[in-house]
């Protein structure tokens, strides 16, 4: 009786290198898009929190005739993970601050350097939304702001940043 031989062969080193190369190329292409998607999700959460603070400020204005610089006087529903340090709320991936001159509420992502979102109050004459991207953070902040804006950016911050209008 003759036994059947099973011929087991493996992959060659070249075949394995080609597979690793293909995986590397796919990661290089998809990682920046993934990072932008994560940034957009965090930015959207920050925008929702800032909108809640702005609406609370507008209610405070209707009651008192002025805006407040204190989060204690507002009834804004902020995410549960927010903690307050002086006049700044740290909310995990972003932070919120009331502007001392009573014109806007300000937020920034903690892991996108110097990228910020500003929502002006209605009774200041502006009542608009803006995204600020500083060139020091590379193109990450600009891509993030551009993904929310339909308009071309303008120069701001004495020429050191780009301002994207979100209205």
């Amino acid at each position: 009786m003759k036994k059947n031989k099973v011929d087991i062969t493996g992959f060659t080193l070249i075949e394995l290198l080609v597979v690793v190369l293909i995986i590397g190329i796919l990661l290089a292409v998809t990682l920046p898009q993934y990072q932008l998607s994560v940034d957009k999700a965090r930015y959207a959460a920050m925008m929702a929190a800032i909108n809640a603070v702005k609406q609370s400020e507008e209610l405070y204005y209707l009651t008192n005739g002025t805006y407040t610089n204190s989060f204690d006087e507002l009834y804004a529903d902020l995410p549960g993970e927010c903690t307050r340090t002086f006049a700044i709320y740290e909310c995990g991936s972003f932070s919120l601050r009331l502007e001392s001159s009573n014109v806007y509420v300000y937020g920034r992502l903690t892991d996108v350097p110097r990228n910020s979102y500003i929502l002006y109050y209605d009774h200041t004459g502006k009542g608009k939304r803006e995204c600020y991207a500083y060139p020091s953070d590379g193109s990450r902040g600009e891509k993030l702001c551009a993904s929310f804006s339909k308009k071309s950016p303008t120069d701001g911050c004495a020429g050191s940043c780009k301002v994207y209008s979100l209205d």
Side-chain angles (χ1 to χ4, degrees):
M1 180 176 209
K2 212 178 196 188
K3 287 189 175 182
N4 290 340
K5 282 188 175 180
V6 178
D7 187 22
I8 300 176
T9 59
F11 294 106
T12 66
L13 183 60
I14 299 295
E15 290 170 332
L16 290 175
L17 287 174
V18 168
V19 169
V20 169
L21 179 67
I22 290 171
I23 290 172
I25 291 171
L26 289 173
L27 282 175
V29 169
T30 58
L31 189 60
Q33 192 61 33
Y34 171 75
Q35 188 177 39
L36 179 63
S37 297
V38 170
D39 287 346
K40 284 176 71 171
R42 291 177 180 160
Y43 210 76
M46 180 181 67
M47 290 169 78
I50 287 176
N51 193 41
V53 171
K54 185 223 179 221
Q55 289 175 351
S56 185
E57 278 279 15
E58 295 298 345
L59 287 173
Y60 186 90
Y61 183 88
L62 289 174
T63 305
N64 300 302
T66 185
Y67 292 108
T68 182
N69 289 327
S70 173
F71 280 104
D72 294 334
E73 297 178 12
L74 299 177
Y75 297 105
D77 289 329
L78 297 175
E81 72 271 4
C82 291
T83 58
R84 193 171 112 196
T85 309
F86 299 108
I88 299 174
Y89 265 93
E90 297 288 339
C91 300
S93 62
F94 62 90
S95 64
L96 303 176
R97 177 172 58 91
L98 296 174
E99 175 56 38
S100 61
S101 60
N102 288 329
V103 284
Y104 59 81
V105 60
Y106 166 91
R108 71 172 182 81
L109 292 180
T110 54
D111 60 344
V112 181
R114 300 187 70 201
N115 182 272
S116 58
Y117 171 69
I118 292 178
L119 185 58
Y120 290 92
Y121 302 141
D122 292 340
H123 295 91
T124 63
K126 290 190 175 184
K128 61 182 180 177
R129 304 177 307 138
E130 294 176 334
C131 182
Y132 287 74
Y134 291 80
S136 64
D137 69 350
S139 63
R140 188 172 169 193
E142 289 185 37
K143 285 180 183 177
L144 181 60
C145 287
S147 70
F148 286 102
S149 179
K150 295 177 182 159
K151 300 176 183 176
S152 297
T154 58
D155 286 334
C157 315
S160 64
C161 73
K162 292 190 178 180
V163 180
Y164 292 79
S165 177
L166 304 182
D167 292 326

